[in-house]
Amino acid sequence: MSHLVALSAALGPDATLISDSDITASYSRDHAPFAVSAPPFAVLLAKNAQEISKALIFANENKIPVVTRGAGSGLSGGANSDAQSLVISLEKMNRILSLDAANQIARVQAGVINIDLDTAAKEHGLAYLPDPASREWSTLGGNAATNAGGMCCVKYGVTTAHVRALQVVLATGEIIELGSATKKSVTTYDLVHLFVGSEGTLGIITELTLNLEIRPAPPATLIATFPSVTKAAAAAAVLLKYRPSMLEIVDQTTLKAVQAWHPLGFEVAGSVLLMQLDENHSLCEAALETCKKFDLIDGVYSDDPADAADLIRVRKLAYPALERMGATLLDDVALPITKIAEFVEKVEALSRETNLVIGIFGHAGDGNMHPTIVHDHGDTAAADRAKQAFARIVEIAQSLGGTASGEHGIGSIKQGFVANEISPKVAALQREVKKTFDPNGILNPGKKI
Amino acid sequence: MSHLVALSAALGPDATLISDSDITASYSRDHAPFAVSAPPFAVLLAKNAQEISKALIFANENKIPVVTRGAGSGLSGGANSDAQSLVISLEKMNRILSLDAANQIARVQAGVINIDLDTAAKEHGLAYLPDPASREWSTLGGNAATNAGGMCCVKYGVTTAHVRALQVVLATGEIIELGSATKKSVTTYDLVHLFVGSEGTLGIITELTLNLEIRPAPPATLIATFPSVTKAAAAAAVLLKYRPSMLEIVDQTTLKAVQAWHPLGFEVAGSVLLMQLDENHSLCEAALETCKKFDLIDGVYSDDPADAADLIRVRKLAYPALERMGATLLDDVALPITKIAEFVEKVEALSRETNLVIGIFGHAGDGNMHPTIVHDHGDTAAADRAKQAFARIVEIAQSLGGTASGEHGIGSIKQGFVANEISPKVAALQREVKKTFDPNGILNPGKKI
């Protein structure tokens, strides 16, 4: 408790420092189901970088682990704390500091909700494009810390491609500015993008300068059913030539789960592809012709926005439909797009072998797949099998030239897989880079690396 | 000379190690005009990463400076050597190792010429998009080391956006693999993009996995003349809404220089904008309408590729036309696009004040400008004034929220300006990062940081 008293004194009376265990418990974890966590000894609802600086100076001197969080919507346990930790939440730092429409940039505090920036940009004919599924509640700081992806990233790139500059508070308390507000700059080492995806282990991102892009036209949406995931995945690779702004795949298991909840409006097939084109809608017909070469069962498209919402509903409902069936473990791996079919076959075999429901869907155009393991709530034996299957899915991806995480991060649930992809020397370099920025190792210890 | 003998012994008889001073002199510098250089004691024409590893182990043990070069087409003295240096040239490592059309990636050795990859990609309907002006002779390794830009980057991003993975030889000789061949990956710290733009100071890039994109359709090209750069720059900011794949500006001084060499085919105006659209050609008419709001004098467009070459000739000839007039100093700064007009006015004032011809052209859509100072060959007083003007141009850019280098790099000519943009702490972090990768400081010492 002395840490709490001393920290409170260091921060001063204006700081919102919470130690009520009913509240701290709600700040102890993100949405990853099986990562360990415990309520932190305190939660700081930070108001500004200076407050965070004070907290970090104190934590660094006293070797207190610090876990940073935005909305806590992460899926890898990256924001999970233990009892010794101080959690710093940036949710109150939620101001859009400036929106410079002519230069197509915005400066925001890290706690701004993703969709709020996009909404503000929309008034100027602009968009903040990265669209993680959590965009209506996740924060831009959290998106940057995890290098979040999303559906339109197949065309527009993931979060890192949209970050120009950062304000960061270092573990030692210095507040630094990295990067340039200009569209191009090669004046310094690219430390900005080293911080993106570093999951709170190198510093605390407090402000971001982000790209806004010309708002794409409303898309045309195409849905196509195939007899198998193999065929749908093969079609997806070819459909990339139309430069889709969305290219998603859903397998039969997931289709059945959705159908059991909300009528699909079409017959359950082996697999479904969903595609959006935001430039040349007239290519939809050509795209359907392409699909015919891969045993297309049925396909429709529309450039009516209301129809579009209807057509992509099956993808939006994929995860919640699986969640209705029991406890879920949502995996996240990325593969060469040409390996998706083989990956799916192996995961389907794993499903049979382990007697677990595994629904497979994901960002086909990026090769980023989200197999989701379902088991009965409270069935601990099945839960253990699910955890093992979760690991096997990562290993299957890696065996096919894929990677342990495409967009959710390593957090506290995937560190064991990283060594399969990097040499001991690269692992050592990561630790040295970490030490350069965080000499006492207080920032999110045990996460990412 | 003992270094030469010992290095030769370490490398073995198969290595091409050159010490003939007639030849080493031609490896002593890039195309930056006023950076110092001296012939290195030896040049290794490397055949593979293993040979480079041996050379670096030797250099690291003996604290020998190592300067890496591709084609030597750099513009910042980044590849300049001194007499104590070993130069490692990657020009012989010029094989495209694989081109995976379905997954839209290529694996190349660092010495592959930029255009050669694009030509190979073209056969598959793909493109390697980053298009530095040097693309017909510069290497992909050099492009990555400098994070090279180009004209189509206004739409498709600079080199860093197209690099997925790297093989790097560290100063200590280890050969490491960074990044993932998958389109998305958040499994490790992003060390790949830390190396991009590091100008040979962190390691030697020997292989690259690069994005290939669907080849854009042949563009429509638009040329528009304006009474002043102020008007043209203001129009450029608005023209971004058409998502141009090229948006270039040329000032009156440069137009006159071109006109004096090759007839422009149109009246010399205050300024010219050149724009290409590779999606929706039908927007050209709307773009011209937009230009009218900025006092357009005259404008034409065409989607005939032969016409396009004719229309953009003025931009292609901009720098060579200025070179015809005397010795040139080509500067490179990046600004907020809304500051281009003010920047140009200040540079024009500088031109009058210093009695130096300064032609201004550049990538308007990116705010990346290349003022080029011209003086008589052999006029040492003018050369001194030119050097001072070169520095003033950087300071003007910085005073307007710009940065010292947009795409050419810091090299050995702009280190003095970096401190204006970063805090001492960030400068210290850069040095610490450098030390992590290159503990003895042998890689391109005195460059970049």
Side-chain angles (χ1 to χ4, degrees), chain A residues 164-213:
Chain A
R164 289 194 192 179
L166 295 174
Q167 183 187 72
V168 169
V169 186
L170 296 173
T172 42
E174 290 97 342
I175 301 170
I176 60 169
E177 302 286 341
L178 297 173
S180 169
T182 57
K183 191 165 171 201
K184 288 162 89 173
S185 174
V186 290
T187 299
T188 62
Y189 286 152
D190 184 358
L191 300 180
V192 168
H193 299 101
L194 178 64
F195 271 85
V196 176
S198 65
E199 301 184 22
T201 64
L202 299 179
I204 297 183
I205 296 169
T206 44
E207 291 181 16
L208 307 92
T209 301
L210 299 169
N211 284 340
L212 304 177
E213 303 287 342

Side-chain angles (χ1 to χ4, degrees), chain B residues 19-369:
Chain B
S19 58
D20 177 335
S21 63
D22 286 348
I23 303 175
T24 57
S26 69
Y27 284 90
S28 64
R29 57 184 303 124
D30 64 18
H31 286 166
F34 65 86
V36 294
S37 69
F41 80 90
V43 175
L44 172 64
L45 299 187
K47 287 188 194 67
N48 53 54
Q50 289 68 30
E51 221 172 62
I52 293 171
S53 171
K54 285 182 199 168
L56 289 185
I57 289 169
F58 178 84
N60 195 46
E61 277 171 6
N62 294 282
K63 309 249 192 326
I64 296 169
V66 175
V67 179
T68 309
R69 63 187 277 136
S73 58
L75 293 162
S76 67
N80 285 22
S81 63
D82 64 17
Q84 285 71 51
S85 303
L86 168 67
V87 164
I88 298 181
S89 170
L90 282 88
E91 69 196 286
K92 301 295 183 195
M93 291 175 60
N94 59 0
R95 279 189 304 129
I96 297 174
L97 301 169
S98 65
L99 196 159
D100 179 348
N103 288 305
Q104 298 184 13
I105 51 174
R107 180 79 172 179
V108 300
Q109 289 186 313
V112 170
I113 305 295
N114 176 310
I115 196 74
D116 289 346
L117 176 59
D118 187 55
T119 302
K122 194 174 180 178
E123 286 178 35
H124 303 273
L126 300 172
Y128 178 68
L129 289 172
D131 60 348
S134 61
R135 78 181 308 192
E136 293 188 16
W137 59 93
S138 65
T139 65
L140 293 165
N143 292 173
T146 55
N147 192 15
M151 293 206 198
C152 79
C153 303
V154 64
K155 180 170 180 182
Y156 294 108
V158 295
T159 299
T160 199
H162 301 266
V163 181
R164 288 194 193 180
L166 295 174
Q167 183 188 71
V168 169
V169 186
L170 295 174
T172 42
E174 290 96 341
I175 302 170
I176 60 168
E177 303 286 341
L178 298 173
S180 169
T182 56
K183 193 166 170 199
K184 288 161 88 172
S185 174
V186 291
T187 299
T188 62
Y189 285 154
D190 184 358
L191 300 181
V192 168
H193 298 100
L194 179 63
F195 271 86
V196 176
S198 66
E199 301 185 22
T201 64
L202 298 180
I204 297 184
I205 296 169
T206 44
E207 291 181 18
L208 307 91
T209 301
L210 299 169
N211 285 340
L212 303 177
E213 301 288 341
I214 300 301
R215 197 163 192 89
T221 304
L222 179 149
I223 186 166
T225 55
F226 296 85
S228 67
V229 168
T230 313
K231 291 289 180 182
V238 179
L239 290 171
L240 284 175
K241 72 178 171 189
Y242 301 111
R243 289 187 42 86
S245 52
M246 182 182 94
L247 186 51
E248 299 286 316
I249 193 166
V250 181
D251 79 340
Q252 189 172 45
T253 301
T254 309
L255 288 174
K256 283 180 181 168
V258 175
Q259 174 80 316
W261 186 21
H262 285 294
L264 284 172
F266 59 88
E267 206 136 338
V268 169
S271 179
V272 150
L273 281 185
L274 292 152
M275 182 168 90
Q276 290 192 325
L277 298 173
D278 61 11
E279 288 164 32
N280 197 340
H281 294 190
S282 67
L283 293 175
C284 282
E285 193 59 40
L288 274 188
E289 282 302 311
T290 297
C291 290
K292 285 181 187 164
K293 291 178 199 148
F294 300 92
D295 299 348
L296 174 73
I297 296 172
D298 200 7
V300 291
Y301 59 86
S302 170
D303 54 12
D304 181 301
D307 287 351
D310 209 45
L311 293 174
I312 66 169
R313 198 166 46 113
V314 56
R315 174 63 180 87
K316 297 269 184 194
L317 294 179
Y319 183 60
L322 292 165
E323 274 187 312
R324 278 181 72 245
M325 296 170 63
T328 54
L329 285 189
L330 172 65
D331 215 329
D332 161 56
V333 295
L335 304 141
I337 187 167
T338 52
K339 297 291 185 184
I340 293 177
E342 191 174 346
F343 172 77
V344 169
E345 282 165 13
K346 290 190 170 177
V347 174
E348 285 173 347
L350 179 69
S351 168
R352 290 188 296 273
E353 185 190 308
T354 56
N355 196 27
L356 289 162
V357 171
I358 307 180
I360 309 176
F361 56 91
H363 313 299
D366 283 331
N368 183 195
M369 302 300 288

